[in-house]
């Protein structure tokens, strides 16, 4: 199920306003659901590595959609920077921003599954020579109800204005390719709200998608 996943551009059946380009690695089949729930709810932390490897493929594909480059870095050596010196372009960092879990959910599970998978994905990308890091700069500013069973409209209303950036988040996100990261996209409401809180981002990556056009 996890081998050979090919990330692709995906959309919910009704695209919410502000949804970035989303790239998903898997369809939410029974196998994908079982693996995600085992990691998320049943403490199967060993699954974080293979899930993160699959997520890394979606993150890599999403990062290419952002079109953001890091600023050029001057070449420093035996000569002073100036006439006759050339500059090189640093590889743009891929900045993975995980969608935050509710505090009570993290406390109940004993871990934050999306952040854990994002860290594994970043480690995979670094192992392949890419500059990647996880920046948990989003937080919940108010309580929301569990999304399970809610319609698309109810999910949008439930999450409206629920997320915000931590102090200093804008500075941390400068100079890199920002990719929102979540485990499953259903209606896209969560990713749309996360993008709003960040001031608008170009792309997001998810492990699995429940419904696409």
């Amino acid at each position: 199920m996890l081998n050979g996943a090919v990330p692709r551009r995906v959309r919910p059946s009704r695209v919410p306003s502000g949804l970035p380009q989303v790239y998903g690695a898997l369809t939410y089949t029974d196998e994908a659901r079982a693996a995600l729930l085992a990691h998320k709810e049943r403490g199967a932390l060993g699954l974080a590595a293979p899930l993160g490897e699959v997520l890394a493929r979606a993150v890599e594909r999403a990062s290419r959609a952002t079109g953001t480059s890091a600023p050029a870095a001057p070449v420093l050596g035996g000569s002073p920077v100036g006439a006759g010196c050339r500059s090189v372009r640093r590889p743009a960092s891929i900045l993975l921003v995980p969608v935050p879990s509710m505090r009570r959910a993290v406390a109940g599970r004993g871990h934050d599954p999306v952040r854990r998978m994002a860290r594994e994905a970043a480690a995979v990308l670094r192992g392949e020579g890419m500059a990647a890091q996880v920046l948990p700069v989003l937080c919940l500013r108010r309580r929301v109800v569990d999304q399970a069973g809610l319609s698309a409209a109810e999910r949008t209303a439930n999450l409206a204005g629920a997320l915000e950036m931590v102090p200093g988040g804008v500075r941390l996100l400068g100079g890199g390719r920002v990719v929102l990261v979540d485990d499953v996209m259903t209606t896209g409401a969560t990713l749309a709200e996360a993008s709003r809180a960040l001031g608008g981002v170009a792309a997001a990556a998810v492990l699995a998608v429940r419904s696409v056009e």
Side-chain angles (χ1 to χ4, degrees):
M1 180 271 292
L2 298 180
N3 294 326
V6 179
R8 66 202 188 282
R9 174 81 183 274
V10 294
R11 294 185 299 170
S13 56
R14 295 182 181 180
V15 179
S17 176
L19 183 71
Q21 293 183 32
V22 183
Y23 293 84
L26 302 168
T27 301
Y28 197 68
T29 60
D30 289 342
E31 282 187 291
R33 179 179 182 275
L36 285 166
L37 286 180
H39 171 254
K40 186 175 185 176
E41 306 290 357
R42 302 188 184 100
L45 301 186
L47 286 171
L51 290 171
E53 186 169 356
V54 173
L55 181 60
R57 303 282 68 86
V59 170
E60 181 185 14
R61 180 65 185 85
S63 73
R64 297 202 297 267
T66 65
T68 303
S69 297
V75 176
L76 301 177
S79 303
V81 175
C85 293
R86 296 188 303 168
S87 64
V88 296
R89 189 164 294 277
R90 292 193 302 264
S93 295
I94 303 174
L95 307 177
L96 288 70
V97 177
V99 170
S101 299
M102 292 181 288
R103 289 183 181 178
R104 62 182 181 273
V106 174
R109 294 167 181 151
H111 73 122
D112 186 326
V114 175
R115 188 183 297 190
R116 185 180 292 273
M117 288 187 293
R119 287 174 175 163
E120 293 288 349
V124 169
L125 295 173
R126 288 194 298 270
E128 296 173 354
M130 287 170 264
Q133 60 180 309
V134 177
L135 291 178
V137 296
L138 286 175
C139 64
L140 282 161
R141 62 189 298 267
R142 63 169 176 80
R143 290 176 66 89
V144 296
V145 301
D146 193 315
Q147 299 267 83
L150 297 184
S151 67
E154 289 169 337
R155 287 176 181 234
T156 297
N158 182 44
L159 289 166
L163 297 176
E164 65 181 358
M165 231 186 319
V166 301
V170 173
R171 176 181 56 81
L172 292 173
L173 295 176
R177 299 180 178 182
V178 178
V179 178
L180 277 169
V181 173
D182 206 355
D183 53 358
V184 179
M185 180 180 74
T186 303
T187 67
T190 302
L191 292 173
E193 168 60 16
S195 177
R196 181 209 60 77
L198 292 174
V201 299
V206 296
L207 260 166
V209 184
R210 282 183 175 168
S211 61
V212 296
E213 290 183 335

